[in-house]
Amino acid sequence: MSRVRVHNFSVSLDGFSTGEGQSLDAPFGHAGERLLDWFFQTRTFHDMHEKSGGATGVDDAVARAWGGDIGAEIMGRNKFGPQRGPWEDHAWAGWWGPNPPFHTSVFVLTHHPRPSVEMEGGTTFHFIDATPQEALRQAREAAGGLDVRIGGGPTTIREFLAADLIDHLHITIVPIVLGRGERLWDGLEGLEKRFQIESVTTPSGVTHMTFTKP
Amino acid sequence: MSRVRVHNFSVSLDGFSTGEGQSLDAPFGHAGERLLDWFFQTRTFHDMHEKSGGATGVDDAVARAWGGDIGAEIMGRNKFGPQRGPWEDHAWAGWWGPNPPFHTSVFVLTHHPRPSVEMEGGTTFHFIDATPQEALRQAREAAGGLDVRIGGGPTTIREFLAADLIDHLHITIVPIVLGRGERLWDGLEGLEKRFQIESVTTPSGVTHMTFTKP
């Protein structure tokens, strides 16, 4: 059975998953790289970006689950890029260069559809104006029986959690107080009742939590 | 050197340390006992309330640090009781019965001072309208060289953290999404820079974090 999964999604102690003021130079706003520093150190991340090296400890073991059996990704427009409103720069094709690490169809949720963009390595970005349910239907069709990953950002994950469409959620609590940005948990009171939850703290200081549908 | 300490202070994933709607029957509002369930199971808590039994695992080991070398406590009025505004029920002497578990002077922060109340077992409640700095000065004087505990609730701890008066903070992340209540972290952006932080997850599913001044 095809599952809907979230992986390697960092949250601060005060519940923010991205900082304030995203821009081309600051994809995570004032948060900088602090939310994802644990992930950037892993061999999983290095492999995704065809760099050598990277740590192979417990953070890496947890991060590696990101890749298996994924047939499509859904992401919000703010994960795709810093533009808002009607597209003015059609040359923009994400933060990830000519060969993005997805290697599947990626459905970008936007109120401003535009033609699909085919990248190297099997990634194709589709731009759709759709509810979570409709986006998932299209992603499942593209995934050919494999799982669908919800890639973020926080608004997108929150909408899919609110619609009870997520089967597996891996979040990482990073011990920082961001103060401002985009909150993950708003409107999700009682979320824990729908999942089995496990937690583990690693030597990097973060706490990985998995929420799995029973 | 006398330190200022916080212990066994639970926070939900979305940063709430108490629920909405505190009352005589619901000291933690709609959160019920979920934030403190891990603590109520411990032998430390049982001992505090002169009950037998209680678990003696890692949660208990962490919780036990609550008691050592404390000469006075400071708490907010909402930890002391559910009354707001001018005191109408002078018979109210806290949630803890005739022999509260503090056994020291306890300074209750309130805009409505009233005469001190001496309890069994060495606890005396003093009611003071004071800034964090002034309350700490009085508590240190009463503590006779021992440490001062800031007992909560979230507003009080937040004010002492904002004033940079806390040397040791133990919080416990409980994997629930409360949705509403009193937030701990508001206004504390960048708090992590002032502390060394350690984390450990225990089999009960909570994550204990200590923030210690270097």
Side-chain angles (χ1 to χ4, degrees), chain B residues 1-22:
Chain B
M1 174 61 189
S2 158
R3 292 181 305 152
V4 179
R5 293 155 44 192
V6 175
H7 289 273
N8 302 332
F9 198 73
S10 293
V11 187
S12 68
L13 289 174
D14 46 346
F16 294 103
S17 289
T18 192
E20 199 174 70
Q22 186 194 47

Side-chain angles (χ1 to χ4, degrees), chain A residues 13-14 30 34 173 175-180 183 185-186 188-192 197 199-201 205 207 209 211, chain B residues 13-14 30 34 173 175-180 183 185 188-192 197 199-201 205 207 209 211:
Chain A
L13 288 174
D14 46 346
H30 85 291
R34 288 178 291 160
I173 308 286
I176 60 177
V177 179
L178 270 184
R180 53 211 159 94
R183 289 189 195 274
W185 302 115
D186 281 8
L188 298 177
E189 179 179 334
L191 180 74
E192 69 280 0
I197 305 176
S199 304
V200 67
T201 297
T207 301
M209 304 183 61
F211 294 63
Chain B
L13 289 174
D14 46 346
H30 86 290
R34 288 178 292 160
I173 307 286
I176 60 177
V177 179
L178 270 185
R180 52 211 159 93
R183 290 189 194 273
W185 302 114
L188 298 176
E189 180 180 335
L191 180 73
E192 69 279 0
I197 304 176
S199 304
V200 67
T201 297
T207 300
M209 303 184 62
F211 295 63

Side-chain angles (χ1 to χ4, degrees), chain B residues 119-188:
Chain B
M119 309 293 290
E120 293 170 24
T123 299
T124 300
F125 292 112
H126 303 287
F127 301 87
I128 62 174
D129 186 5
T131 63
Q133 288 82 354
E134 170 59 18
L136 182 56
R137 193 194 63 70
Q138 291 188 42
R140 278 210 154 111
E141 195 171 299
L146 293 177
D147 290 351
V148 173
R149 185 173 48 228
I150 311 299
T155 305
T156 300
I157 292 178
R158 195 168 59 236
E159 285 171 358
F160 277 77
L161 284 170
D164 198 17
L165 294 173
I166 291 182
D167 300 302
H168 177 91
L169 169 68
H170 162 218
I171 63 151
T172 304
I173 307 286
V174 179
I176 60 177
V177 179
L178 270 185
R180 52 211 159 93
E182 187 81 34
R183 290 189 194 273
L184 175 62
W185 302 114
D186 281 8
L188 298 176

Side-chain angles (χ1 to χ4, degrees), chain A residues 104-128:
Chain A
T104 65
S105 286
V106 175
F107 295 85
V108 179
L109 299 171
T110 169
H111 296 307
H112 303 277
R114 50 180 265 201
S116 297
V117 177
E118 196 169 332
M119 311 292 290
E120 294 171 25
T123 298
T124 301
F125 292 112
H126 303 287
F127 302 88
I128 61 174

Side-chain angles (χ1 to χ4, degrees), chain A residues 46-59:
Chain A
H46 285 229
D47 286 351
M48 282 167 62
H49 298 278
E50 299 181 337
K51 298 194 295 181
S52 60
T56 57
V58 181
D59 283 335

